[in-house]
Amino acid sequence: MKKGLTLVLAGVTSMGLAFSAFADDYITLASTTSTQNSGLFNAILPQFEDATGIDVRVVAVGTGQAFEIARRGDADSLLVHDTAGEKRFVENGFASERADVMYNDFVLIGPADDPANIAEAQSAAEAFAAIANAKAPFTSRGDDSGTNRAELRLWENAGVDPDGDWYRELGSGMGPTLNTAAAMDAYVMSDRATWVAFGNRQNLTLLFAGDEVLFNQYGCLLISEEKHPHLKHDLAEQWHNWLISENGQQAIADFKVDGQQLFFPNAK
């Protein structure tokens, strides 16, 4: 009995070790709500996991929150869309490398009757100024996300300090912000991917796009091994390298919603 029990315990122990090793084959990725809500990760992560055996567990938050998670050492990898903030993150020693991965654009959404007449605007600055002049309801994410940071820069470019009852800072993700805009018949700035995938449009429509200042670049960062040696740097590097590889870039290009390509790979 003792010998049999020893063999059983040895088997259980070895199985436990195997399961523990398998359970460690994952990384935590801090990323944006736009990459998650659009369905991109549902499309590309299975391809990466099939190729490497590495599971990717996504924490989808605003870019500012994603930076903070990575800064604390609570994520193995970072995929966000605030190029200036990403470069500062590297310069401040929190990441060892940053790479362009893909891009799309921001768009201005609003009620179909367009009370601020932004569809006739010649530039994003003109469109934002028109909304402020009309005091038309505008819903802002207000969550320090990449989209929110870009929106605030665009108000500044338009010479507007958004304030007053017409401007609603929600502190929420892109999906809830679009839902609020739909309920209020308000203007809102969204990344194109989330807008295309959004199902509750009600009276909202895309009214302005195309200005080069609405360009929306996404970057992947390798977290500093010096600052956070406990992270799974080898696995995170495999994810990073796959994203910018031919296979990863093709997976991004192949992702479409209603026949529309939502992200355009541009790794160098």
Side-chain angles (χ1 to χ4, degrees), residues 4 39 60 86 104 122 124 139 142 201 206 214:
E86 293 158 31
N104 61 11
Q122 298 302 304
T139 58
R201 297 188 178 186
L206 194 160
L214 298 175

Side-chain angles (χ1 to χ4, degrees), residues 63-181:
T63 287
Q65 290 174 275
F67 278 134
E68 185 55 35
I69 289 169
R71 191 176 288 112
R72 294 196 307 261
D74 291 334
D76 301 294
S77 186
L78 187 60
L79 177 62
V80 287
H81 61 144
D82 177 21
T83 301
E86 293 158 31
K87 289 180 177 177
R88 284 195 301 273
F89 202 75
V90 175
E91 290 166 1
N92 292 335
F94 291 102
S96 57
E97 183 178 319
R98 178 207 169 273
D100 286 340
V101 174
M102 61 191 182
Y103 69 92
N104 61 11
D105 64 337
F106 295 113
V107 293
L108 276 171
I109 310 299
D113 60 353
D114 191 15
N117 199 31
I118 70 168
E120 301 301 318
Q122 298 302 304
S123 66
E126 187 178 322
F128 274 84
I131 293 168
N133 290 336
K135 292 184 168 50
F138 185 98
T139 58
S140 170
R141 287 182 58 163
D143 63 348
D144 194 33
S145 61
T147 301
N148 183 222
R149 291 180 180 194
E151 177 219 314
L152 294 176
R153 288 194 296 270
L154 289 163
W155 286 118
E156 186 177 358
N157 290 347
V160 173
D161 180 13
D163 193 18
D165 292 342
W166 61 274
Y167 185 74
R168 305 291 181 88
E169 290 185 281
L170 303 178
S172 60
M174 196 68 254
T177 301
L178 282 165
N179 278 323
T180 301

Side-chain angles (χ1 to χ4, degrees), residues 1-267:
M1 289 292 291
K2 288 185 179 178
K3 183 177 180 181
L5 180 59
T6 301
L7 288 173
V8 170
L9 288 174
V12 170
T13 302
S14 64
M15 285 177 64
L17 289 172
F19 285 137
S20 296
F22 182 76
D24 282 342
D25 268 355
Y26 74 89
I27 59 170
T28 299
L29 170 65
S31 191
T32 70
T33 57
S34 59
T35 45
Q36 178 78 0
N37 293 345
S38 65
L40 175 71
F41 286 141
N42 289 338
I44 71 171
L45 290 186
Q47 298 180 55
F48 171 72
E49 289 160 8
D50 286 346
T52 64
I54 301 167
D55 183 31
V56 179
R57 302 178 184 180
V58 179
V59 179
V61 292
T63 287
Q65 290 174 275
F67 278 134
E68 185 55 35
I69 289 169
R71 191 176 288 112
R72 294 196 307 261
D74 291 334
D76 301 294
S77 186
L78 187 60
L79 177 62
V80 287
H81 61 144
D82 177 21
T83 301
E86 293 158 31
K87 289 180 177 177
R88 284 195 301 273
F89 202 75
V90 175
E91 290 166 1
N92 292 335
F94 291 102
S96 57
E97 183 178 319
R98 178 207 169 273
D100 286 340
V101 174
M102 61 191 182
Y103 69 92
N104 61 11
D105 64 337
F106 295 113
V107 293
L108 276 171
I109 310 299
D113 60 353
D114 191 15
N117 199 31
I118 70 168
E120 301 301 318
Q122 298 302 304
S123 66
E126 187 178 322
F128 274 84
I131 293 168
N133 290 336
K135 292 184 168 50
F138 185 98
T139 58
S140 170
R141 287 182 58 163
D143 63 348
D144 194 33
S145 61
T147 301
N148 183 222
R149 291 180 180 194
E151 177 219 314
L152 294 176
R153 288 194 296 270
L154 289 163
W155 286 118
E156 186 177 358
N157 290 347
V160 173
D161 180 13
D163 193 18
D165 292 342
W166 61 274
Y167 185 74
R168 305 291 181 88
E169 290 185 281
L170 303 178
S172 60
M174 196 68 254
T177 301
L178 282 165
N179 278 323
T180 301
M184 293 177 56
D185 267 355
Y187 290 96
V188 59
M189 190 178 92
S190 173
D191 64 282
R192 187 182 293 269
T194 305
W195 168 247
V196 170
F198 182 62
N200 180 34
R201 297 188 178 186
Q202 298 188 46
N203 191 40
L204 296 181
T205 189
L206 194 160
L207 293 169
F208 184 87
D211 190 326
E212 63 182 14
V213 299
L214 298 175
F215 180 77
N216 182 27
Q217 177 70 53
Y218 289 79
C220 184
L221 292 92
L222 289 175
I223 310 303
S224 167
E225 190 166 358
E226 182 178 338
K227 284 192 180 291
H228 298 298
H230 66 284
L231 296 178
K232 299 171 185 173
H233 297 283
D234 54 339
L235 303 185
E237 188 168 1
Q238 289 184 61
W239 161 246
H240 181 87
N241 290 339
W242 183 84
L243 269 180
I244 61 179
S245 72
E246 184 176 344
N247 288 340
Q249 294 282 282
Q250 189 61 54
I252 292 167
D254 288 343
F255 172 63
K256 295 180 174 64
V257 173
D258 295 333
Q260 294 187 57
Q261 182 175 340
L262 300 190
F263 297 95
F264 298 84
N266 66 342

